Amino acid sequence: MPTAAPTPKAVLHQRFGVKARYTVEEVREAVDGGAGGCPGLAPQTRSVYRCTLELPDLSVATPGTFLRKKDAEQAAAQIALDKLGIQPIANTPRTPEEAWDELIARISGFFADDNFLSSTHPLIGHLSVILRRTRDLIGRIPMSAIAACDVKVNTLCKIIDPRAESEPLLVLSLIYNAAKQSPGVSVSDSNFWIQSQKPYSAEAVDSAFERWSDMSGPIEIEAILVPQVLEDEPKTVRINLENNEHYMGSIASKLSATGSSHVVVSRTLGKASSEIRLYFAVPSVQFVSDFSKNALACHGDGNISCLVNKRASYISGQTIYGDAILANIGYTRRDSEIHTEDVNLCTYYRILLGKLPDGNYKMSKDSILAAELPCVYSRASWKGLSPRDLLCSFCRLQRLSEPYFAISKASNSSVVFGSTASYEERLVPTKNADNHDTNDGRVDKENPDMFKCDVKICSRKQEILLEYSADNTFSKESDAVQNSALKVLIWFNKYFKQLNTKADKLSLSECTGDFKIHPNTFLQEFAMCLSVYAKTRSNDSRIYSAVGPFSATPNQQLENSVTLTHVEGPDSGIFPSHGSLTCISYIASLMMKDTAKTYSLEENNEFEFEIGAGAVISQLESCVTQLSVNQTACFIAELPPTDSILAAASEFSNELSNISRESCFLEFSVKVLQVTEPLEDRMEKALFSPPLSKQRVEFAIRHINELHATTLVDFGCGSGSLLDSLLEHPTTLENVVGVDISRKGLTRAAKCLHQKLSKKSLVQTRVPSAVLYDGSIMEFDSRLYGFDIGTCLECTLQLLDEIQDHNHVIEHMEEDQASLCGNVILSAFCPKVFIVSTPNYEYNPILQRSAMPNKEDEPEENTGPCKFRNHDHKFEWTRVQFQSWAIDLAVKHNYSVEFDGVGGSGEEPGYASQIAVFRKLTQDQEAAYLRKDQDQPYELLWEWPNASVAQD
């Protein structure tokens, strides 16, 4: 492909270096029509820039102004090029032969031109310290200094031999062989020094000394020794940098290398502004001078592959040999002296964490111990790097190709683009391979503008590793891309969390749900990763390296209730609920069991996440949902993988690396700061007064009193919002029961009900008996048979939870699947009246227009059908779908059914919440099995009177 020409400034810099001086002046200019024709409005102005450029024999200035400083500088540089008659040419050669010739010329230029010492090139720092130390104007430096400082040299090496991308030893070999052919340069046959054949001028040396000052004194920095032997753990070492001594000499002594010229340097790790690199000693190899041949060969019959440091190679993406030093040291254009910074074990483990699928998400949230990669994506609540960016970053760090995203319309046309393309890019539409409608039944087929996105992950050689075929559809392309990217990340996260299993125990199925895996290619590509992580050391009493326990269901946060201690603060009555955005502060501390010593590992003053999205560890969510706003509490958390502890430990990482896991535990101190109710509730409150949830309760109360009902069971009661609301109204009820599979939801319901029933002011309205059961409504319990009224309000989420709990696959909830709950309730529990409400999908456009969305959520033209009211709803029915479902159930189980609703007038497009009221037509004789005591699988969690909350 064509190569880009250098910018005008770059051309002048190559010719004149620091002698090209730019002076940028900021001025204010009036904006045309700034007053807008409005009398009394002050004229509007803006900042613009002009630039003057001074060269040794030329001075130019821009005739006009520019909105950006860099544009003014480039314009001045272009004027100077025009006056000097210099034509920029493409600065990247196309063939290995061209790159080889340019590499020879570039190395020669470092030493043959006195002007080079006047530039800001980082290599001048190396030359300056050598010249100052030895007073030898020839200036002998290690060849690795060139590889460390010059990006262009590394680019040329990759063109000559693509393997140089991952082989720093090969880069050194190419520099060595090119230097032997560079005019004006001398190299040693026994070492890897490079020097000029003639002395620099004293003037040039003085110029280098002015730009690159020496150190003020000896410096000691921390670095990490990464052993070649995997059984040896990384450890901290200290490097002493002497004044006017080359720093690679100090590193060489730590590696037992012959000298500084025998140290090889990797590319930088982490941020582009960082100088963190891996250093290792040159193994015993010989270099071949002909670049067209293999540039590396072992001495004798030795095998250089046996010297590979797999751990260092994995974190760097390059091949590292022998023991390695991870250090942050070097010369840069932005510093006038050597740049140094400590690297401790925390830095090392953060680099390692960044290689994991969820690592960059945790670090972007500044929450390594508390955050988890969410299992759902919502633009309204997602915080941190987007799933698409996270997946692209993961692929780059694993040295894979950029992910391929293929977007398909429900109308059977598709577009395909890589991750670097914009969402607006379009290719020629193509038919889907199976040529069928991707509409899943939830969307009106007259409005087909729904999108799904398939993802393909390939190696650098374009060999397919993994393919994801999406099933869900979305009204926006961006949502389709982000959700599919998240699915792939979750799959990788699941896979990486089993890498602490022995390698021969790992299995990789070719097909897993929506994923197609290519096992041979996949395992070959991740061979280095496997060799680092696939080691079992469960018998080691020390803190050991691990990726973490394998979870078979990464998409579903398993409920894990915790016992709270030191609960402080009055109950404000505002609790986090499913779907709400909750802001907390927390401190995670490592506590020593035998001593009073405490290590504060992680502190976050404002941490926001969505309840139910799996965005935090389950124990933290369990804690938060038991607290109200402004309450604080502590709990003991499961000890996380040691890698995570050391990545969060900061200044304590060195000390904690030698502590036994059995001697410590992790404690969280948490405070709930703010709760923002779910988007669905906000939408309803924006349009309805009283709120839609209150209207549903009033509907139920009206039927309770009309029937003179004395018993009620709420199926899928959650946190008890319906039962709690019933206590605020006078009813004929004598016994109310709630049943749910969420123990933490029931626990919170028990606390709320107990508090309300204990108030003397509610003596007139409270019910004599209230009970909460922990159990699934998919299982029959005889204690709930034949109640006067059964309720299941806004049933999409309850049905979803219940069917998921019974391992049903419901990526798309169809009517026959949703009927499972209805069949069990009407056939087994047999309530006299059963009230079901569910969102009316046809009403969503009205709700969403009233919700005043953020700019990024504003409806777009032709975006297709509206969204569901909540991102975790897997289905929402139209009126026809809901009525068809209800009529089928009623006929099947000898019930009548009538339809009603709340929210709106009931005219087109119907009520916001549609309601079905089932009535038992005949009262059958109770079957004998219904009265058996063994038909009581539910656990009694709480009851009133004499209520007590069951403990785990």
Side-chain angles (χ1 to χ4, degrees), residues 135-178:
R135 301 297 176 184
D136 184 351
L137 299 186
I138 290 178
R140 184 179 66 169
I141 63 171
M143 289 182 187
S144 282
I146 298 177
C149 291
D150 197 83
V151 175
K152 184 64 176 292
V153 164
N154 285 275
T155 300
L156 295 171
C157 289
K158 285 185 285 185
I159 296 173
I160 296 167
D161 190 332
R163 294 176 301 165
E165 170 78 12
S166 59
E167 290 278 357
L169 192 58
L170 179 56
V171 173
L172 181 63
S173 168
L174 292 170
I175 292 174
Y176 172 81
N177 291 312

Side-chain angles (χ1 to χ4, degrees), residues 11-24:
V11 174
L12 287 179
H13 182 77
Q14 292 173 2
R15 179 67 64 93
F16 297 101
V18 294
K19 294 179 181 178
R21 302 182 182 275
Y22 298 85
T23 303
V24 179

Side-chain angles (χ1 to χ4, degrees), residues 23-28 46-51 66 69:
T23 303
V24 179
E25 178 187 5
E26 180 180 1
V27 296
R28 303 289 298 181
R46 63 183 178 185
S47 292
V48 293
Y49 304 92
R50 61 168 66 101
C51 178
F66 299 83
K69 293 180 181 180

